[in-house]
Amino acid sequence: LFIWVIAVLLIVPIILGFRTYAMKVPFLEFKKKKHAPESRVKQIVKGYKIVHSVPFLKGLLGVVILSWILINLLEFQYIGAIEHSIENRGAVNAEQMFTQTLGFLHIIFSASALFVQLIFASRFIKTLGIIRSMLLQPIVMFFNFIALTLHFNFFSAVIAKTSFEITHIISQNAYHSSYYAVPHGIRENAKEFLEGIAKPFGAIIGMILLLNF
C-alpha cells in the first residue's frame, strides 16, 4: 500500500515538470473553424457509420470484439487454474501464496513480452506482414483453448497465458500499424470507436458469458 501511495505521489511532480517544459516549446497557432459540439450519441453513431462503410474496418471491428471476448475467457481460466492448483496443495496461507504466485508469474509474462517487443516484434511483422501478424494471436489462443479443454491444469494455463502475452505484443503492434491503411480523415474517428466502444463491448460480452455459463 505504501509503495502504491508513493508511486501515485511521484506522478504529480513529474506531470508538473512536463507542463513546465511544455510551456517552453514553441508552437504554431492554427485557426480552426468553430463547429457546434456533437453529443456523445452522435459521435458513437458517426464512428459506427465510418467503421461500417469501410470493409477493412468492418472486419477489424469483428476481430476486436471477438479478441476481447477470448481475452476475458482466457483470464478467467488462467486465474481459476492457479487457484485450483493452490487449493490442491492444502496450504495454510492460501491467499498469500495465491498473490505471490500471480505476482511472480506476472513478472515472467512482462519480462517475456518486453524481450519479444525489443528483439522480435518488428522482425515478425516485417516477415509475416500486418494481417498475418494480427492473425498470430487468435490462432495461438485457439490452440491454447484446445489444450486447456483437454488437459486443464496449472502448467497448461501458464503456457496459455505466456503465449498469449507474447503474441499479444506482436498482434497489437500490427493492429496499430494497420490504421495507416485507413484514410487520414476518418482514422481518428475509427480508432476512437474501436478502442472506446468495441473493446469494452467485447469485454462485457465475455463477462456475460462467464456469468451465465
Side-chain angles (χ1 to χ4, degrees):
L1 179 61
F2 286 113
I3 295 174
W4 177 74
V5 172
I6 292 171
V8 171
L9 292 177
L10 286 175
I11 293 175
V12 176
I14 292 174
I15 293 177
L16 293 176
F18 282 158
R19 182 178 181 277
T20 303
Y21 289 123
M23 297 299 292
K24 299 178 182 178
V25 178
F27 62 94
L28 299 176
E29 293 185 358
F30 297 94
K31 294 182 179 180
K32 295 183 179 180
K33 295 180 180 180
K34 294 183 178 180
H35 298 282
E38 295 181 337
S39 65
R40 294 296 181 185
V41 176
K42 287 184 179 181
Q43 290 178 359
I44 294 173
V45 172
K46 180 181 178 180
Y48 174 77
K49 288 181 179 179
I50 290 174
V51 171
H52 190 72
S53 64
V54 181
F56 172 74
L57 291 176
K58 193 189 301 183
L60 195 59
L61 173 63
V63 170
V64 169
I65 293 175
L66 290 173
S67 295
W68 278 83
I69 292 174
L70 293 176
I71 287 171
N72 279 269
L73 296 178
L74 177 62
E75 192 70 23
F76 176 78
Q77 293 286 72
Y78 162 69
I79 297 294
I82 294 177
E83 187 177 6
H84 182 70
S85 174
I86 293 175
E87 288 178 353
N88 288 340
R89 298 177 191 175
V92 178
N93 53 345
E95 292 184 0
Q96 182 180 356
M97 184 177 293
F98 178 72
T99 304
Q100 290 177 347
T101 303
L102 282 180
F104 176 73
L105 291 174
H106 188 69
I107 292 173
I108 294 177
F109 300 149
S110 300
S112 302
L114 178 62
F115 178 75
V116 172
Q117 171 76 2
L118 295 175
I119 307 297
F120 297 107
S122 58
R123 297 180 183 179
F124 268 111
I125 295 174
K126 186 177 180 180
T127 303
L128 298 176
I130 297 294
I131 302 301
R132 291 178 181 176
S133 297
M134 291 175 62
L135 288 173
L136 186 63
Q137 185 184 16
I139 291 173
V140 170
M141 289 178 68
F142 175 75
F143 285 107
N144 285 335
F145 278 114
I146 293 178
L148 287 171
T149 303
L150 296 176
H151 197 60
F152 181 77
N153 59 17
F154 176 82
F155 294 103
S156 61
V158 170
I159 292 172
K161 181 68 173 177
T162 304
S163 59
F164 164 77
E165 293 293 341
I166 291 175
T167 55
H168 182 70
I169 290 294
I170 300 171
S171 295
Q172 280 299 297
N173 286 340
Y175 164 74
H176 289 293
S177 298
S178 68
Y179 280 107
Y180 290 101
V182 181
H184 180 73
I186 62 174
R187 186 183 303 163
E188 184 177 351
N189 296 102
K191 191 169 185 178
E192 286 178 354
F193 181 83
L194 291 174
E195 294 287 327
I197 303 298
K199 284 187 177 181
F201 182 71
I204 291 171
I205 294 177
M207 293 306 298
I208 291 173
L209 291 174
L210 288 174
L211 291 173
N212 287 278
F213 298 101

